Amino acid sequence: MRVIFEEDDPKNFTVLKATSAEFPALNGQSVSYAVLEFPSGTTNPPHTHPRSAELLFLVGGSLEVGFVDTKNNLFTQTLQVGDLFVFPKGLVHFQYNADSDNPAIAISAFGSASAGTVSIPSTLFV
């Protein structure tokens, strides 16, 4: 995770993961972690995690977040620094940095060493 502090701010949305694939010590531990960096105006497009809920903690900037429940209801929230948001296991969700001037950074925790990510095809939204 040191690269987050050693490199310049990214130009695109980036995710630095600590799952059992990147950090084998997590095998069998039912936990993983991700740091999400959002330059101004960037999106973590709609996706799901089939093996875990996600607890997102915003440590910098602001984010628009949301998920769609099993009855096709959209739940959204604008997060500020220090806010937490839960994305239930298996539900489609997203994050968006609508701030045109400032980046955002968040930390996500998962209840699985391999939560998995299933991306929703972008062609669905054309």
Side-chain angles (χ1 to χ4, degrees):
M1 295 288 173
R2 290 179 186 166
V3 298
I4 296 165
F5 304 101
E6 295 170 353
E7 295 180 356
D8 293 333
D9 291 336
K11 303 291 185 235
N12 300 307
F13 167 73
T14 61
V15 179
L16 184 60
K17 297 178 184 179
T19 70
S20 58
E22 295 84 17
F23 192 47
L26 293 177
N27 273 330
Q29 299 303 315
S30 300
V31 66
S32 59
Y33 200 65
V35 176
L36 302 94
E37 296 180 281
F38 296 85
S40 300
T42 59
T43 301
N44 184 2
H47 62 281
T48 68
H49 303 291
R51 294 182 291 275
S52 178
E54 175 180 355
L55 178 61
L56 182 134
F57 173 56
L58 188 64
V59 296
S62 65
L63 284 178
E64 305 291 326
V65 301
F67 68 88
V68 178
D69 73 5
T70 58
K71 294 183 179 180
N72 208 30
N73 296 310
L74 175 64
F75 293 87
T76 62
Q77 187 75 42
T78 301
L79 303 183
Q80 302 299 321
V81 171
D83 287 346
L84 291 169
F85 195 86
V86 175
F87 301 104
K89 178 181 174 180
L91 296 184
V92 174
H93 60 279
F94 68 91
Q95 300 98 27
Y96 171 61
N97 180 4
D99 189 324
S100 60
D101 296 320
N102 298 300
I105 189 164
I107 298 170
S108 286
F110 300 91
S112 169
S114 179
T117 300
V118 178
S119 298
I120 306 301
S122 59
T123 55
L124 187 65
F125 303 100
V126 177

